[in-house]
Amino acid sequence: MLSLSAALTAELQAIVGPGGFRAGADIEEKNYRDMMGARAIVPSLLLRPETTGQVAAILKACHNAGQPIAPQGGMTGLVSAAAPQEGEIALSLERMNRVIEVDRLTATMTVEAGVPLQVIQEQAAEEGMLFPLDLGARGSCTIGGNLSTNAGGNRVIRYGMTRELVIGVEAVLADGTVINGLHKLRKNNTGYDLKQLFIGSEGTLGIITKAVLKLEAMPRSQAVALCGVGDFKQVAELLVHSQSGLGGNLSAFEVIWNNTYRLIDQHVSHLSVPLPVEFPFYVLVESMGSNPGQDVEQFVDCLGAAAEKKLVDEVVIADTDSKIEKLWAVRDGAAEVIGVGYMHAYDVSLNIDDMGYFGEEVECRLRAVWPEAVLGLFGHIGDGNVHIIINVGPDTRDCHLQIDEIIYQLVQELHGSVSAEHGIGTMKKAFLPYSKSEAEIALMRSLKQAMDPAGILNPGRIF
Ligand code: ZN
């Protein structure tokens, strides 16, 4: 057990003041237990700075003392990157939660890192604009966490991952140097794009304190369809068909495999599924545009043509808010399957033409070990991202490394990615070489060494 020196503790307390300092039993569970739960360790201290200056002073002091720090946002990550480890100080950005500016002319919003995603979405909507990042944890995750994990979500097909929704970032380096990259210039080819070092690096290269986010026009039309589809080849053809038929209006292409659809039907009691359970695949297609009457007509025509081409066997279309909500609830139901027991969840990326095979093969290999396994596949297939949920019995938690090995081995064979949108954290560390070459990992290590020579920032995450 590492213990903090009294001098460093006093110095840190002086930096953040009484409101920003917590120790021992005053540290709430939400600041050390993340969504992955089981790995909770209470941090040596919890610091809650209010300004970039305070973050810089904290890092400078910890850099000089060689004291490791675990930066944290809303603690909703799925790879245990933010949960503190033995001897670490937790640094929460929860008090840096101001929306600094919404600028309609440049279509940007400048925010502090601790602003919850939902607040950003609502603030943008108030100005008649859209911040397109959206994911289930919207109410509790924060933009700093979204940035440091490069979060994905449901509308990546149209707007890109978080990385593509940011113009400028202010971040603090491990030694306390502030890198002020806050600007609103969409075109800025002045050498390295430094903000990208902080985005998706899970707090290992610096701590993001502020960001300038890109806003989009608020769509004025929305239509959603749930389609029953006969095989994965048709799913892939339906994607191509929707891309050409809907053009820029295509805003989601989500797929639920039959195994997941049945789990939703049986285990998510507040839902009644709109299509019979017999189809091998269910595709949720969404269109959002700026021309209400015309967009819905285009959407209906596009799906009608898909039916004529026999790409879909049955379709339900929703064009009112309440009906749209009901169809999305079916897709969101995939994350609410309970009653089977603990479901271990996976997030991988594959080329779309490998995905049909992947679904069959992964089930086959898992069943060879656990014939009674309950598993389901679903995901953002328009972006090549598939999620797998699995329960192999009462000892699922103990088996997770064995399940990991089977799934990631197949992903490696297919040249996919062991992490599509959740990151690496501590949970996927051992499998990083399945998706990144030795040379790539060596370059990542050189960056880490250059930017955090004392190794204080989220050590042991990613590699
Ligand atoms: Zn997802």
Side-chain angles (χ1 to χ4, degrees):
M1 171 85 194
L2 295 165
S3 66
L4 272 174
S5 77
L8 180 61
T9 304
E11 188 181 356
L12 294 170
Q13 191 162 18
I15 292 167
V16 290
F21 184 89
R22 286 190 185 155
D26 289 341
I27 301 175
E28 289 176 52
E29 200 179 16
K30 69 176 172 69
N31 292 105
Y32 57 88
R33 188 179 290 280
D34 69 4
M35 299 273 277
M36 299 292 96
R39 299 164 189 81
I41 292 175
V42 183
S44 311
L45 294 175
L46 168 67
L47 303 176
R48 302 160 66 238
E50 260 190 312
T51 64
T52 302
Q54 289 181 359
V55 175
I58 291 167
L59 291 193
K60 191 174 178 206
C62 290
H63 171 78
N64 291 335
Q67 167 61 45
I69 290 217
Q72 56 183 232
M75 299 294 274
T76 59
L78 298 172
V79 290
S80 267
Q85 297 191 358
E86 197 67 44
E88 292 179 352
I89 289 177
L91 191 155
S92 169
L93 292 134
E94 62 194 349
R95 288 208 302 167
M96 291 186 64
N97 58 4
R98 284 160 289 229
V99 172
I100 298 166
E101 186 198 24
V102 182
D103 180 343
R104 278 180 48 251
L105 293 183
T106 59
T108 59
M109 189 187 303
T110 306
V111 295
E112 291 184 331
V115 183
L117 174 58
Q118 191 169 345
V119 170
I120 294 172
Q121 292 173 336
E122 288 168 0
Q123 190 84 35
E126 247 171 62
E127 304 288 336
M129 306 190 78
L130 174 79
F131 182 60
L133 178 65
D134 192 33
L135 43 130
R138 66 185 72 77
S140 38
C141 65
T142 63
I143 191 67
N146 299 146
L147 287 161
S148 65
T149 57
N150 186 30
N154 292 336
R155 299 216 163 86
V156 173
I157 190 171
R158 166 89 160 259
Y159 299 103
M161 307 264 290
T162 306
R163 195 184 286 296
E164 286 143 290
L165 307 174
V166 189
I167 296 181
V169 152
E170 177 194 81
V172 183
L173 298 181
D175 67 359
T177 306
V178 177
I179 301 293
N180 184 351
L182 284 184
H183 63 78
K184 303 174 186 173
L185 307 170
R186 284 174 191 246
K187 300 182 85 166
N188 180 20
N189 265 351
T190 48
Y192 303 157
D193 189 356
L194 296 174
K195 68 174 180 288
Q196 300 298 354
L197 292 171
F198 306 108
I199 300 172
S201 55
E202 303 182 31
T204 61
L205 299 181
I207 297 183
I208 294 171
T209 43
K210 296 190 185 90
V212 178
L213 307 172
K214 263 187 222 173
L215 301 179
E216 300 285 342
M218 179 65 90
R220 284 186 282 152
S221 75
Q222 186 184 18
V224 174
L226 189 71
C227 315
V229 179
D231 64 35
F232 199 86
K233 208 171 166 317
Q234 285 169 314
V235 171
E237 287 299 332
L238 180 61
L239 174 61
V240 175
H241 174 86
S242 308
Q243 278 163 332
S244 74
L246 301 174
N249 280 6
L250 179 63
S251 53
F253 191 92
E254 301 278 314
V255 177
I256 306 169
W257 269 247
N258 180 275
N259 45 24
T260 304
Y261 197 77
R262 283 177 189 270
L263 289 173
I264 295 169
D265 182 42
Q266 290 159 17
H267 297 283
V268 186
S269 54
H270 65 92
L271 288 178
S272 62
V273 294
L275 289 174
V277 296
E278 77 225 29
F279 296 110
F281 297 94
Y282 298 81
V283 182
L284 183 146
V285 188
E286 182 187 66
S287 150
M288 296 201 298
S290 55
N291 202 326
Q294 202 177 308
D295 294 340
V296 173
E297 204 180 299
Q298 180 194 36
F299 187 68
V300 172
D301 287 351
C302 175
L303 288 161
E308 264 168 46
K309 287 204 247 172
K310 306 250 184 287
L311 296 179
V312 298
D313 294 336
E314 198 174 329
V315 183
V316 271
I317 293 182
D319 60 354
T320 64
D321 287 353
S322 70
K323 287 183 191 163
I324 287 170
E325 225 168 87
K326 278 192 186 133
L327 291 191
W328 267 110
V330 175
R331 162 60 183 86
D332 293 340
E336 298 167 38
V337 174
I338 38 171
V340 185
Y342 170 74
M343 301 293 277
H344 206 61
Y346 288 84
D347 162 51
V348 301
S349 207
L350 294 155
N351 292 315
I352 189 146
D353 49 350
D354 292 325
M355 228 174 252
Y357 165 78
F358 175 80
E360 289 166 20
E361 184 64 15
V362 84
E363 175 154 9
C364 191
R365 291 190 192 181
L366 290 163
R367 287 211 188 286
V369 186
W370 300 280
E372 306 297 315
V374 177
L375 80 159
L377 280 83
F378 60 96
H380 322 290
I381 301 311
D383 324 312
N385 182 183
V386 57
H387 294 309
I388 305 154
I389 47 173
I390 179 165
N391 175 293
V392 298
D395 55 349
T396 296
R397 279 181 197 275
D398 302 327
C399 294
H400 89 89
L401 280 176
Q402 214 184 335
I403 309 170
D404 285 3
E405 182 59 45
I406 291 171
I407 293 178
Y408 296 142
Q409 174 66 40
L410 181 57
V411 168
Q412 182 183 32
E413 287 168 28
L414 296 171
H415 306 288
S417 170
V418 297
S419 181
E421 60 177 1
H422 294 172
I424 297 294
T426 54
M427 290 173 61
K428 295 190 179 185
K429 244 167 74 162
F431 302 99
L432 183 65
Y434 286 37
S435 296
K436 275 220 155 52
S437 67
E438 242 173 78
E440 286 173 306
I441 295 173
L443 178 56
M444 285 165 65
R445 285 191 189 282
S446 315
L447 281 169
K448 172 73 177 169
Q449 178 61 29
M451 294 177 71
D452 180 16
I456 62 160
L457 282 176
N458 234 11
R461 278 69 161 192
I462 305 183
F463 43 57

